[in-house]
């Protein structure tokens, strides 16, 4: 248990569906991150939020839409995904984007797009 | 951020020390060396980090060479539960956006 909780743990969705992934942390952290891990590939940083402001968007397609309503919650809204978007989506948090401290990761959401 | 290089895979016998090397020859003076591991299908887990001095915690020891161009993560008594992918990452002192490479897949065998 890392203090970062992701729901759901598994999700199967059709290409025309809209779904959302949720991440929650009560560690008092100010930075939150979304990562994508496709099969046989390294983790890719998708989005970074600092104090609820998006500070990094690594050329992620617009079918992925993040939302950070407060410093404890982070969402990833999904719509019209492709089968190649099937992956493990990981959320992480840390004390601050500009602070050299460890990050805490959730267990991830295993997404399958059919 | 400095690029790190790690062997793709290593084996270790259960109960023996696992020594995982990392090369970071272009590391700059303000970059820390971080180690994370990822057990299959779980989120990465922080292990340890250091700047110049050797560091030890309840999980592992980190040995950084004097010129800081390489480091070694040591798991003193590896168990089957230490089977995972281990990532070595260089991070500046004012930065926390982890960039993961391929890591080293450590297989601990009975």
């Amino acid at each position: 248990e890392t203090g970062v909780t992701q729901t759901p743990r598994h999700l199967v969705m059709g290409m025309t569906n809209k779904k959302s992934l949720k991440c929650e942390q009560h560690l008092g952290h100010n930075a939150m991150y979304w990562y994508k891990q496709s099969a046989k590939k390294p983790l890719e940083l998708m989005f970074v939020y600092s104090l609820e402001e998006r500070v990094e968007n690594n050329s992620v397609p617009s079918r992925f839409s993040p939302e950070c309503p407060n410093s404890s919650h982070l969402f990833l809204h999904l719509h019209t995904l492709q089968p190649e978007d099937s992956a493990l989506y990981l959320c992480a948090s840390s004390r601050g984007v500009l602070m050299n401290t460890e990050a805490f990761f959730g267990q991830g959401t295993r997404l399958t797009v059919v | 951020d400095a690029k790190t290089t790690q062997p793709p895979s290593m084996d270790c016998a259960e109960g023996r020390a696992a020594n995982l090397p990392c090369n970071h020859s272009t590391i700059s003076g303000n970059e820390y060396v971080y180690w994370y591991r990822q057990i299959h299908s779980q989120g990465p887990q922080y292990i340890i980090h250091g700047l110049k001095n050797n560091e030890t915690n309840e999980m592992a020891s980190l040995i950084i060479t004097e010129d800081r161009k390489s480091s070694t993560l040591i798991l003193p008594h590896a168990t089957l539960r230490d089977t995972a992918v281990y990532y070595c990452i260089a991070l500046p002192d004012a930065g926390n956006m982890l960039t993961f490479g391929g890591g080293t897949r450590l297989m601990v065998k009975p």
Side-chain angles (χ1 to χ4, degrees), chain A residues 8-42:
Chain A
R9 292 291 309 276
H10 300 271
L11 178 63
V12 179
M13 61 185 287
M15 289 189 283
T16 58
N17 290 159
K18 288 185 181 181
K19 296 286 184 184
S20 296
L21 309 185
K22 180 182 177 182
C23 177
E24 186 172 355
Q25 59 89 8
H26 295 288
L27 300 169
H29 290 171
N30 290 323
M32 296 188 78
Y33 313 78
W34 278 117
Y35 285 85
K36 173 185 178 183
Q37 188 171 33
S38 304
K40 310 288 186 188
K41 286 187 177 181

PDB file of all heavy atoms in Angstrom, chain A residues 8-42:
ATOM      1  N   PRO A   8     -10.682   2.162 -11.892  1.00  0.00           N
ATOM      2  CA  PRO A   8     -10.709   0.745 -11.516  1.00  0.00           C
ATOM      3  C   PRO A   8      -9.342   0.086 -11.723  1.00  0.00           C
ATOM      4  O   PRO A   8      -8.447   0.689 -12.300  1.00  0.00           O
ATOM      5  CB  PRO A   8     -11.735   0.185 -12.511  1.00  0.00           C
ATOM      6  CG  PRO A   8     -11.555   1.030 -13.737  1.00  0.00           C
ATOM      7  CD  PRO A   8     -11.234   2.417 -13.227  1.00  0.00           C
ATOM      8  N   ARG A   9      -9.186  -1.129 -11.264  1.00  0.00           N
ATOM      9  CA  ARG A   9      -7.935  -1.841 -11.496  1.00  0.00           C
ATOM     10  C   ARG A   9      -7.868  -2.426 -12.898  1.00  0.00           C
ATOM     11  O   ARG A   9      -6.782  -2.558 -13.481  1.00  0.00           O
ATOM     12  CB  ARG A   9      -7.769  -2.975 -10.470  1.00  0.00           C
ATOM     13  CG  ARG A   9      -7.561  -2.489  -9.039  1.00  0.00           C
ATOM     14  CD  ARG A   9      -6.206  -1.799  -8.852  1.00  0.00           C
ATOM     15  NE  ARG A   9      -5.090  -2.583  -9.339  1.00  0.00           N
ATOM     16  CZ  ARG A   9      -4.485  -3.539  -8.636  1.00  0.00           C
ATOM     17  NH1 ARG A   9      -4.888  -3.827  -7.428  1.00  0.00           N
ATOM     18  NH2 ARG A   9      -3.470  -4.207  -9.162  1.00  0.00           N
ATOM     19  N   HIS A  10      -9.031  -2.786 -13.403  1.00  0.00           N
ATOM     20  CA  HIS A  10      -9.120  -3.327 -14.758  1.00  0.00           C
ATOM     21  C   HIS A  10     -10.281  -2.657 -15.472  1.00  0.00           C
ATOM     22  O   HIS A  10     -11.320  -2.393 -14.857  1.00  0.00           O
ATOM     23  CB  HIS A  10      -9.344  -4.848 -14.737  1.00  0.00           C
ATOM     24  CG  HIS A  10      -8.264  -5.595 -14.048  1.00  0.00           C
ATOM     25  ND1 HIS A  10      -7.135  -6.049 -14.703  1.00  0.00           N
ATOM     26  CD2 HIS A  10      -8.116  -5.968 -12.751  1.00  0.00           C
ATOM     27  CE1 HIS A  10      -6.349  -6.672 -13.836  1.00  0.00           C
ATOM     28  NE2 HIS A  10      -6.922  -6.634 -12.649  1.00  0.00           N
ATOM     29  N   LEU A  11     -10.114  -2.401 -16.766  1.00  0.00           N
ATOM     30  CA  LEU A  11     -11.175  -1.766 -17.550  1.00  0.00           C
ATOM     31  C   LEU A  11     -11.104  -2.265 -18.980  1.00  0.00           C
ATOM     32  O   LEU A  11     -10.035  -2.259 -19.589  1.00  0.00           O
ATOM     33  CB  LEU A  11     -11.003  -0.246 -17.513  1.00  0.00           C
ATOM     34  CG  LEU A  11     -11.998   0.588 -18.326  1.00  0.00           C
ATOM     35  CD1 LEU A  11     -13.404   0.402 -17.797  1.00  0.00           C
ATOM     36  CD2 LEU A  11     -11.611   2.059 -18.289  1.00  0.00           C
ATOM     37  N   VAL A  12     -12.254  -2.701 -19.481  1.00  0.00           N
ATOM     38  CA  VAL A  12     -12.376  -3.064 -20.891  1.00  0.00           C
ATOM     39  C   VAL A  12     -13.368  -2.092 -21.505  1.00  0.00           C
ATOM     40  O   VAL A  12     -14.463  -1.905 -20.979  1.00  0.00           O
ATOM     41  CB  VAL A  12     -12.880  -4.518 -21.062  1.00  0.00           C
ATOM     42  CG1 VAL A  12     -13.019  -4.859 -22.548  1.00  0.00           C
ATOM     43  CG2 VAL A  12     -11.933  -5.502 -20.383  1.00  0.00           C
ATOM     44  N   MET A  13     -12.974  -1.459 -22.592  1.00  0.00           N
ATOM     45  CA  MET A  13     -13.872  -0.500 -23.219  1.00  0.00           C
ATOM     46  C   MET A  13     -13.826  -0.599 -24.728  1.00  0.00           C
ATOM     47  O   MET A  13     -12.779  -0.964 -25.303  1.00  0.00           O
ATOM     48  CB  MET A  13     -13.566   0.928 -22.771  1.00  0.00           C
ATOM     49  CG  MET A  13     -12.191   1.439 -23.105  1.00  0.00           C
ATOM     50  SD  MET A  13     -11.869   3.082 -22.418  1.00  0.00           S
ATOM     51  CE  MET A  13     -12.885   4.116 -23.469  1.00  0.00           C
ATOM     52  N   GLY A  14     -14.947  -0.283 -25.350  1.00  0.00           N
ATOM     53  CA  GLY A  14     -15.007  -0.250 -26.797  1.00  0.00           C
ATOM     54  C   GLY A  14     -14.447   1.060 -27.315  1.00  0.00           C
ATOM     55  O   GLY A  14     -14.286   2.030 -26.569  1.00  0.00           O
ATOM     56  N   MET A  15     -14.167   1.092 -28.585  1.00  0.00           N
ATOM     57  CA  MET A  15     -13.543   2.272 -29.183  1.00  0.00           C
ATOM     58  C   MET A  15     -14.459   3.486 -29.187  1.00  0.00           C
ATOM     59  O   MET A  15     -13.992   4.628 -29.273  1.00  0.00           O
ATOM     60  CB  MET A  15     -13.066   1.938 -30.596  1.00  0.00           C
ATOM     61  CG  MET A  15     -11.866   1.015 -30.617  1.00  0.00           C
ATOM     62  SD  MET A  15     -11.135   0.829 -32.241  1.00  0.00           S
ATOM     63  CE  MET A  15     -12.302  -0.291 -32.991  1.00  0.00           C
ATOM     64  N   THR A  16     -15.760   3.273 -29.047  1.00  0.00           N
ATOM     65  CA  THR A  16     -16.679   4.412 -29.042  1.00  0.00           C
ATOM     66  C   THR A  16     -17.082   4.839 -27.636  1.00  0.00           C
ATOM     67  O   THR A  16     -17.826   5.797 -27.456  1.00  0.00           O
ATOM     68  CB  THR A  16     -17.940   4.090 -29.853  1.00  0.00           C
ATOM     69  OG1 THR A  16     -18.554   2.924 -29.279  1.00  0.00           O
ATOM     70  CG2 THR A  16     -17.590   3.815 -31.310  1.00  0.00           C
ATOM     71  N   ASN A  17     -16.589   4.119 -26.633  1.00  0.00           N
ATOM     72  CA  ASN A  17     -16.970   4.431 -25.248  1.00  0.00           C
ATOM     73  C   ASN A  17     -16.251   5.664 -24.728  1.00  0.00           C
ATOM     74  O   ASN A  17     -15.208   6.075 -25.260  1.00  0.00           O
ATOM     75  CB  ASN A  17     -16.632   3.258 -24.326  1.00  0.00           C
ATOM     76  CG  ASN A  17     -17.499   2.041 -24.547  1.00  0.00           C
ATOM     77  OD1 ASN A  17     -17.129   0.946 -24.178  1.00  0.00           O
ATOM     78  ND2 ASN A  17     -18.649   2.234 -25.162  1.00  0.00           N
ATOM     79  N   LYS A  18     -16.809   6.197 -23.635  1.00  0.00           N
ATOM     80  CA  LYS A  18     -16.106   7.209 -22.836  1.00  0.00           C
ATOM     81  C   LYS A  18     -16.004   6.668 -21.421  1.00  0.00           C
ATOM     82  O   LYS A  18     -17.007   6.240 -20.846  1.00  0.00           O
ATOM     83  CB  LYS A  18     -16.909   8.513 -22.788  1.00  0.00           C
ATOM     84  CG  LYS A  18     -16.941   9.298 -24.068  1.00  0.00           C
ATOM     85  CD  LYS A  18     -17.661  10.617 -23.855  1.00  0.00           C
ATOM     86  CE  LYS A  18     -17.724  11.412 -25.145  1.00  0.00           C
ATOM     87  NZ  LYS A  18     -18.407  12.708 -24.953  1.00  0.00           N
ATOM     88  N   LYS A  19     -14.806   6.685 -20.893  1.00  0.00           N
ATOM     89  CA  LYS A  19     -14.587   6.211 -19.532  1.00  0.00           C
ATOM     90  C   LYS A  19     -13.581   7.132 -18.854  1.00  0.00           C
ATOM     91  O   LYS A  19     -12.894   7.920 -19.515  1.00  0.00           O
ATOM     92  CB  LYS A  19     -14.028   4.779 -19.530  1.00  0.00           C
ATOM     93  CG  LYS A  19     -14.949   3.733 -20.108  1.00  0.00           C
ATOM     94  CD  LYS A  19     -16.088   3.415 -19.154  1.00  0.00           C
ATOM     95  CE  LYS A  19     -16.950   2.280 -19.708  1.00  0.00           C
ATOM     96  NZ  LYS A  19     -18.117   2.022 -18.837  1.00  0.00           N
ATOM     97  N   SER A  20     -13.479   6.995 -17.541  1.00  0.00           N
ATOM     98  CA  SER A  20     -12.507   7.786 -16.786  1.00  0.00           C
ATOM     99  C   SER A  20     -11.745   6.906 -15.813  1.00  0.00           C
ATOM    100  O   SER A  20     -12.321   6.015 -15.188  1.00  0.00           O
ATOM    101  CB  SER A  20     -13.213   8.897 -16.006  1.00  0.00           C
ATOM    102  OG  SER A  20     -13.820   9.817 -16.878  1.00  0.00           O
ATOM    103  N   LEU A  21     -10.453   7.188 -15.690  1.00  0.00           N
ATOM    104  CA  LEU A  21      -9.620   6.564 -14.677  1.00  0.00           C
ATOM    105  C   LEU A  21      -9.461   7.554 -13.530  1.00  0.00           C
ATOM    106  O   LEU A  21      -9.322   8.758 -13.753  1.00  0.00           O
ATOM    107  CB  LEU A  21      -8.243   6.215 -15.243  1.00  0.00           C
ATOM    108  CG  LEU A  21      -8.196   5.433 -16.549  1.00  0.00           C
ATOM    109  CD1 LEU A  21      -6.754   5.075 -16.892  1.00  0.00           C
ATOM    110  CD2 LEU A  21      -9.081   4.215 -16.501  1.00  0.00           C
ATOM    111  N   LYS A  22      -9.439   7.013 -12.320  1.00  0.00           N
ATOM    112  CA  LYS A  22      -9.346   7.877 -11.141  1.00  0.00           C
ATOM    113  C   LYS A  22      -8.110   7.537 -10.334  1.00  0.00           C
ATOM    114  O   LYS A  22      -7.730   6.371 -10.209  1.00  0.00           O
ATOM    115  CB  LYS A  22     -10.587   7.697 -10.270  1.00  0.00           C
ATOM    116  CG  LYS A  22     -10.601   8.541  -9.004  1.00  0.00           C
ATOM    117  CD  LYS A  22     -11.849   8.270  -8.187  1.00  0.00           C
ATOM    118  CE  LYS A  22     -11.846   9.036  -6.880  1.00  0.00           C
ATOM    119  NZ  LYS A  22     -13.036   8.737  -6.051  1.00  0.00           N
ATOM    120  N   CYS A  23      -7.503   8.574  -9.793  1.00  0.00           N
ATOM    121  CA  CYS A  23      -6.336   8.407  -8.922  1.00  0.00           C
ATOM    122  C   CYS A  23      -6.546   9.302  -7.699  1.00  0.00           C
ATOM    123  O   CYS A  23      -6.977  10.460  -7.828  1.00  0.00           O
ATOM    124  CB  CYS A  23      -5.067   8.802  -9.653  1.00  0.00           C
ATOM    125  SG  CYS A  23      -3.576   8.725  -8.643  1.00  0.00           S
ATOM    126  N   GLU A  24      -6.204   8.782  -6.547  1.00  0.00           N
ATOM    127  CA  GLU A  24      -6.425   9.519  -5.309  1.00  0.00           C
ATOM    128  C   GLU A  24      -5.227   9.330  -4.386  1.00  0.00           C
ATOM    129  O   GLU A  24      -4.723   8.216  -4.250  1.00  0.00           O
ATOM    130  CB  GLU A  24      -7.697   8.970  -4.648  1.00  0.00           C
ATOM    131  CG  GLU A  24      -8.174   9.697  -3.436  1.00  0.00           C
ATOM    132  CD  GLU A  24      -9.547   9.195  -2.982  1.00  0.00           C
ATOM    133  OE1 GLU A  24     -10.158   8.356  -3.673  1.00  0.00           O
ATOM    134  OE2 GLU A  24     -10.006   9.655  -1.924  1.00  0.00           O
ATOM    135  N   GLN A  25      -4.772  10.412  -3.786  1.00  0.00           N
ATOM    136  CA  GLN A  25      -3.707  10.303  -2.786  1.00  0.00           C
ATOM    137  C   GLN A  25      -4.019  11.243  -1.634  1.00  0.00           C
ATOM    138  O   GLN A  25      -4.507  12.349  -1.840  1.00  0.00           O
ATOM    139  CB  GLN A  25      -2.325  10.615  -3.395  1.00  0.00           C
ATOM    140  CG  GLN A  25      -2.163  12.002  -4.012  1.00  0.00           C
ATOM    141  CD  GLN A  25      -1.693  13.083  -3.078  1.00  0.00           C
ATOM    142  OE1 GLN A  25      -1.308  12.821  -1.927  1.00  0.00           O
ATOM    143  NE2 GLN A  25      -1.716  14.319  -3.550  1.00  0.00           N
ATOM    144  N   HIS A  26      -3.744  10.758  -0.432  1.00  0.00           N
ATOM    145  CA  HIS A  26      -3.932  11.566   0.771  1.00  0.00           C
ATOM    146  C   HIS A  26      -2.617  11.624   1.524  1.00  0.00           C
ATOM    147  O   HIS A  26      -2.575  11.462   2.749  1.00  0.00           O
ATOM    148  CB  HIS A  26      -5.081  10.990   1.606  1.00  0.00           C
ATOM    149  CG  HIS A  26      -6.403  11.068   0.905  1.00  0.00           C
ATOM    150  ND1 HIS A  26      -7.069  12.252   0.724  1.00  0.00           N
ATOM    151  CD2 HIS A  26      -7.149  10.116   0.304  1.00  0.00           C
ATOM    152  CE1 HIS A  26      -8.187  12.025   0.056  1.00  0.00           C
ATOM    153  NE2 HIS A  26      -8.258  10.743  -0.219  1.00  0.00           N
ATOM    154  N   LEU A  27      -1.551  11.830   0.751  1.00  0.00           N
ATOM    155  CA  LEU A  27      -0.207  11.927   1.312  1.00  0.00           C
ATOM    156  C   LEU A  27       0.220  13.373   1.497  1.00  0.00           C
ATOM    157  O   LEU A  27       1.344  13.631   1.934  1.00  0.00           O
ATOM    158  CB  LEU A  27       0.788  11.210   0.378  1.00  0.00           C
ATOM    159  CG  LEU A  27       0.512   9.719   0.142  1.00  0.00           C
ATOM    160  CD1 LEU A  27       1.375   9.184  -0.988  1.00  0.00           C
ATOM    161  CD2 LEU A  27       0.756   8.941   1.429  1.00  0.00           C
ATOM    162  N   GLY A  28      -0.659  14.295   1.111  1.00  0.00           N
ATOM    163  CA  GLY A  28      -0.313  15.711   1.196  1.00  0.00           C
ATOM    164  C   GLY A  28       0.616  16.152   0.084  1.00  0.00           C
ATOM    165  O   GLY A  28       1.261  17.197   0.200  1.00  0.00           O
ATOM    166  N   HIS A  29       0.683  15.372  -0.981  1.00  0.00           N
ATOM    167  CA  HIS A  29       1.568  15.707  -2.097  1.00  0.00           C
ATOM    168  C   HIS A  29       0.954  16.766  -2.998  1.00  0.00           C
ATOM    169  O   HIS A  29      -0.267  16.847  -3.147  1.00  0.00           O
ATOM    170  CB  HIS A  29       1.871  14.445  -2.927  1.00  0.00           C
ATOM    171  CG  HIS A  29       2.751  13.478  -2.212  1.00  0.00           C
ATOM    172  ND1 HIS A  29       3.000  12.208  -2.679  1.00  0.00           N
ATOM    173  CD2 HIS A  29       3.464  13.584  -1.057  1.00  0.00           C
ATOM    174  CE1 HIS A  29       3.830  11.581  -1.858  1.00  0.00           C
ATOM    175  NE2 HIS A  29       4.119  12.402  -0.867  1.00  0.00           N
ATOM    176  N   ASN A  30       1.838  17.562  -3.624  1.00  0.00           N
ATOM    177  CA  ASN A  30       1.364  18.629  -4.503  1.00  0.00           C
ATOM    178  C   ASN A  30       1.527  18.316  -5.983  1.00  0.00           C
ATOM    179  O   ASN A  30       1.055  19.086  -6.824  1.00  0.00           O
ATOM    180  CB  ASN A  30       2.133  19.925  -4.210  1.00  0.00           C
ATOM    181  CG  ASN A  30       1.758  20.505  -2.860  1.00  0.00           C
ATOM    182  OD1 ASN A  30       0.604  20.443  -2.459  1.00  0.00           O
ATOM    183  ND2 ASN A  30       2.732  21.053  -2.160  1.00  0.00           N
ATOM    184  N   ALA A  31       2.199  17.248  -6.311  1.00  0.00           N
ATOM    185  CA  ALA A  31       2.416  16.891  -7.717  1.00  0.00           C
ATOM    186  C   ALA A  31       1.816  15.527  -7.997  1.00  0.00           C
ATOM    187  O   ALA A  31       1.945  14.602  -7.189  1.00  0.00           O
ATOM    188  CB  ALA A  31       3.910  16.864  -8.034  1.00  0.00           C
ATOM    189  N   MET A  32       1.170  15.417  -9.163  1.00  0.00           N
ATOM    190  CA  MET A  32       0.595  14.140  -9.575  1.00  0.00           C
ATOM    191  C   MET A  32       0.905  13.897 -11.037  1.00  0.00           C
ATOM    192  O   MET A  32       1.050  14.844 -11.822  1.00  0.00           O
ATOM    193  CB  MET A  32      -0.917  14.111  -9.309  1.00  0.00           C
ATOM    194  CG  MET A  32      -1.248  14.198  -7.821  1.00  0.00           C
ATOM    195  SD  MET A  32      -2.988  13.927  -7.442  1.00  0.00           S
ATOM    196  CE  MET A  32      -3.109  12.134  -7.556  1.00  0.00           C
ATOM    197  N   TYR A  33       1.023  12.636 -11.398  1.00  0.00           N
ATOM    198  CA  TYR A  33       1.522  12.244 -12.718  1.00  0.00           C
ATOM    199  C   TYR A  33       0.685  11.105 -13.295  1.00  0.00           C
ATOM    200  O   TYR A  33       0.223  10.234 -12.552  1.00  0.00           O
ATOM    201  CB  TYR A  33       2.971  11.734 -12.610  1.00  0.00           C
ATOM    202  CG  TYR A  33       3.914  12.594 -11.794  1.00  0.00           C
ATOM    203  CD1 TYR A  33       3.895  12.561 -10.402  1.00  0.00           C
ATOM    204  CD2 TYR A  33       4.850  13.417 -12.416  1.00  0.00           C
ATOM    205  CE1 TYR A  33       4.770  13.335  -9.652  1.00  0.00           C
ATOM    206  CE2 TYR A  33       5.730  14.188 -11.671  1.00  0.00           C
ATOM    207  CZ  TYR A  33       5.688  14.134 -10.292  1.00  0.00           C
ATOM    208  OH  TYR A  33       6.558  14.903  -9.554  1.00  0.00           O
ATOM    209  N   TRP A  34       0.564  11.100 -14.613  1.00  0.00           N
ATOM    210  CA  TRP A  34       0.043   9.926 -15.326  1.00  0.00           C
ATOM    211  C   TRP A  34       1.159   9.354 -16.192  1.00  0.00           C
ATOM    212  O   TRP A  34       1.831  10.080 -16.925  1.00  0.00           O
ATOM    213  CB  TRP A  34      -1.125  10.286 -16.240  1.00  0.00           C
ATOM    214  CG  TRP A  34      -2.455  10.399 -15.574  1.00  0.00           C
ATOM    215  CD1 TRP A  34      -3.234  11.517 -15.482  1.00  0.00           C
ATOM    216  CD2 TRP A  34      -3.196   9.363 -14.926  1.00  0.00           C
ATOM    217  NE1 TRP A  34      -4.394  11.245 -14.802  1.00  0.00           N
ATOM    218  CE2 TRP A  34      -4.407   9.921 -14.454  1.00  0.00           C
ATOM    219  CE3 TRP A  34      -2.971   7.996 -14.684  1.00  0.00           C
ATOM    220  CZ2 TRP A  34      -5.368   9.187 -13.763  1.00  0.00           C
ATOM    221  CZ3 TRP A  34      -3.932   7.261 -13.996  1.00  0.00           C
ATOM    222  CH2 TRP A  34      -5.118   7.854 -13.557  1.00  0.00           C
ATOM    223  N   TYR A  35       1.309   8.028 -16.113  1.00  0.00           N
ATOM    224  CA  TYR A  35       2.249   7.291 -16.946  1.00  0.00           C
ATOM    225  C   TYR A  35       1.481   6.219 -17.716  1.00  0.00           C
ATOM    226  O   TYR A  35       0.485   5.694 -17.235  1.00  0.00           O
ATOM    227  CB  TYR A  35       3.309   6.586 -16.106  1.00  0.00           C
ATOM    228  CG  TYR A  35       4.379   7.464 -15.543  1.00  0.00           C
ATOM    229  CD1 TYR A  35       4.186   8.149 -14.343  1.00  0.00           C
ATOM    230  CD2 TYR A  35       5.610   7.609 -16.189  1.00  0.00           C
ATOM    231  CE1 TYR A  35       5.183   8.957 -13.815  1.00  0.00           C
ATOM    232  CE2 TYR A  35       6.613   8.406 -15.664  1.00  0.00           C
ATOM    233  CZ  TYR A  35       6.391   9.072 -14.473  1.00  0.00           C
ATOM    234  OH  TYR A  35       7.374   9.868 -13.953  1.00  0.00           O
ATOM    235  N   LYS A  36       2.031   5.863 -18.872  1.00  0.00           N
ATOM    236  CA  LYS A  36       1.481   4.759 -19.656  1.00  0.00           C
ATOM    237  C   LYS A  36       2.568   3.715 -19.829  1.00  0.00           C
ATOM    238  O   LYS A  36       3.728   4.057 -20.118  1.00  0.00           O
ATOM    239  CB  LYS A  36       1.045   5.272 -21.032  1.00  0.00           C
ATOM    240  CG  LYS A  36       0.607   4.175 -21.992  1.00  0.00           C
ATOM    241  CD  LYS A  36       0.299   4.752 -23.363  1.00  0.00           C
ATOM    242  CE  LYS A  36      -0.083   3.648 -24.349  1.00  0.00           C
ATOM    243  NZ  LYS A  36      -0.327   4.176 -25.707  1.00  0.00           N
ATOM    244  N   GLN A  37       2.205   2.459 -19.650  1.00  0.00           N
ATOM    245  CA  GLN A  37       3.157   1.381 -19.869  1.00  0.00           C
ATOM    246  C   GLN A  37       2.549   0.359 -20.810  1.00  0.00           C
ATOM    247  O   GLN A  37       1.687  -0.428 -20.412  1.00  0.00           O
ATOM    248  CB  GLN A  37       3.571   0.719 -18.555  1.00  0.00           C
ATOM    249  CG  GLN A  37       4.704  -0.278 -18.734  1.00  0.00           C
ATOM    250  CD  GLN A  37       5.261  -0.765 -17.417  1.00  0.00           C
ATOM    251  OE1 GLN A  37       4.529  -0.895 -16.444  1.00  0.00           O
ATOM    252  NE2 GLN A  37       6.562  -1.037 -17.361  1.00  0.00           N
ATOM    253  N   SER A  38       2.988   0.379 -22.057  1.00  0.00           N
ATOM    254  CA  SER A  38       2.548  -0.604 -23.034  1.00  0.00           C
ATOM    255  C   SER A  38       3.405  -1.846 -22.900  1.00  0.00           C
ATOM    256  O   SER A  38       4.501  -1.802 -22.351  1.00  0.00           O
ATOM    257  CB  SER A  38       2.676  -0.035 -24.453  1.00  0.00           C
ATOM    258  OG  SER A  38       1.966   1.171 -24.573  1.00  0.00           O
ATOM    259  N   ALA A  39       2.908  -2.937 -23.440  1.00  0.00           N
ATOM    260  CA  ALA A  39       3.628  -4.206 -23.346  1.00  0.00           C
ATOM    261  C   ALA A  39       5.033  -4.069 -23.933  1.00  0.00           C
ATOM    262  O   ALA A  39       5.211  -3.508 -25.006  1.00  0.00           O
ATOM    263  CB  ALA A  39       2.853  -5.293 -24.087  1.00  0.00           C
ATOM    264  N   LYS A  40       5.996  -4.562 -23.214  1.00  0.00           N
ATOM    265  CA  LYS A  40       7.397  -4.621 -23.653  1.00  0.00           C
ATOM    266  C   LYS A  40       8.015  -3.243 -23.878  1.00  0.00           C
ATOM    267  O   LYS A  40       9.021  -3.120 -24.584  1.00  0.00           O
ATOM    268  CB  LYS A  40       7.527  -5.422 -24.957  1.00  0.00           C
ATOM    269  CG  LYS A  40       6.851  -6.779 -24.933  1.00  0.00           C
ATOM    270  CD  LYS A  40       7.578  -7.757 -24.075  1.00  0.00           C
ATOM    271  CE  LYS A  40       6.944  -9.143 -24.198  1.00  0.00           C
ATOM    272  NZ  LYS A  40       7.495 -10.101 -23.256  1.00  0.00           N
ATOM    273  N   LYS A  41       7.408  -2.185 -23.330  1.00  0.00           N
ATOM    274  CA  LYS A  41       7.961  -0.832 -23.499  1.00  0.00           C
ATOM    275  C   LYS A  41       8.213  -0.198 -22.144  1.00  0.00           C
ATOM    276  O   LYS A  41       7.549  -0.533 -21.157  1.00  0.00           O
ATOM    277  CB  LYS A  41       6.970   0.046 -24.262  1.00  0.00           C
ATOM    278  CG  LYS A  41       6.870  -0.234 -25.752  1.00  0.00           C
ATOM    279  CD  LYS A  41       5.989   0.821 -26.376  1.00  0.00           C
ATOM    280  CE  LYS A  41       5.902   0.670 -27.869  1.00  0.00           C
ATOM    281  NZ  LYS A  41       5.053   1.725 -28.465  1.00  0.00           N
ATOM    282  N   PRO A  42       9.138   0.763 -22.072  1.00  0.00           N
ATOM    283  CA  PRO A  42       9.340   1.487 -20.815  1.00  0.00           C
ATOM    284  C   PRO A  42       8.136   2.357 -20.476  1.00  0.00           C
ATOM    285  O   PRO A  42       7.330   2.681 -21.345  1.00  0.00           O
ATOM    286  CB  PRO A  42      10.559   2.371 -21.104  1.00  0.00           C
ATOM    287  CG  PRO A  42      11.185   1.819 -22.321  1.00  0.00           C
ATOM    288  CD  PRO A  42      10.088   1.182 -23.105  1.00  0.00           C
TER     289      PRO A  42
END
